[in-house]
Amino acid sequence: GAGVSQSPRYKVAKRGQDVALRCDPISGHVSLFWYQQALGQGPEFLTYFQNEAQLDKSGLPSDRFFAERPEGSVSTLKIQRTQQEDSAVYLCASSRDSYEQYFGPGTRLTVT
Amino acid sequence: DAKTTQPPSMDCAEGRAANLPCNHSTISGNEYVYWYRQIHSQGPQYIIHGLKNNETNEMASLIITEDRKSSTLILPHATLRDTAVYYCIVRVTNTGNQFYFGTGTSLTVIP
């Protein structure tokens, strides 16, 4: 079946621009996670949704980062006034249960 | 969640078993050991997880020591496509708990 999809796959933004990254989870998966992966590092947790409720946003690095999942399916990660340090791969994962998380291919964001 | 320690890199000859170690000396009784891998430019992929007993699936085997302070992921017959970064994670299995990935072990399978 279809896996987790993310769009766009690549995004180049000028410093100060706003960006929106989309995640389509596997159908029926209740849980959705966003991670940020800097070059050469492992993924780091940003935020977590259970259905439409954002239950944990402790990993969001600043108030410029905002995530939503209004209907409990598709999720959008928005970054306002992008900075160079925001350059990274943003990964989305979904889960049906408490065990496996299925990851999308990620969106590579480059801020120039 | 407990922290893990992995060697930064390893090599393995194609066709041989790859044995990837992980130390998790502060693991709690209710924490599982998970292994994920990440092939270049892809998202992490689940491999296997376990609590106390050794586990095997079509991809790999997971050997957990009796005191649960360390584990080994075994890829029985490594292929070039197994070249990836392998992450060992310990985690309380509870809805909403994120994974703490660390920096993993970069495995290179050599022809």
Side-chain angles (χ1 to χ4, degrees), chain B residues 47-74:
Chain B
I47 302 173
I48 199 166
H49 76 279
L51 183 63
K52 288 190 285 191
N53 299 324
N54 298 336
E55 302 288 342
T56 295
N57 63 21
E58 64 279 2
M59 287 182 70
S61 294
L62 173 60
I63 308 298
I64 303 174
T65 57
E66 195 167 338
D67 63 7
R68 302 210 321 125
K69 293 187 177 183
S70 66
S71 61
T72 301
L73 178 74
I74 300 173

Side-chain angles (χ1 to χ4, degrees), chain A residues 34-37 44-47 54 56-67 77-83 85-90 109:
Chain A
W34 283 99
Y35 293 81
Q36 179 190 59
Q37 186 170 24
E44 293 193 358
F45 170 79
L46 293 177
T47 187
Q54 189 174 19
D56 186 349
K57 51 183 181 178
S58 62
L60 295 176
S62 77
D63 58 7
R64 296 185 297 102
F65 286 71
F66 172 76
L77 176 67
K78 297 179 179 177
I79 309 173
Q80 297 177 323
R81 304 180 304 282
T82 52
Q83 305 294 316
E85 63 263 27
D86 300 335
S87 295
V89 174
Y90 291 86
L109 173 65

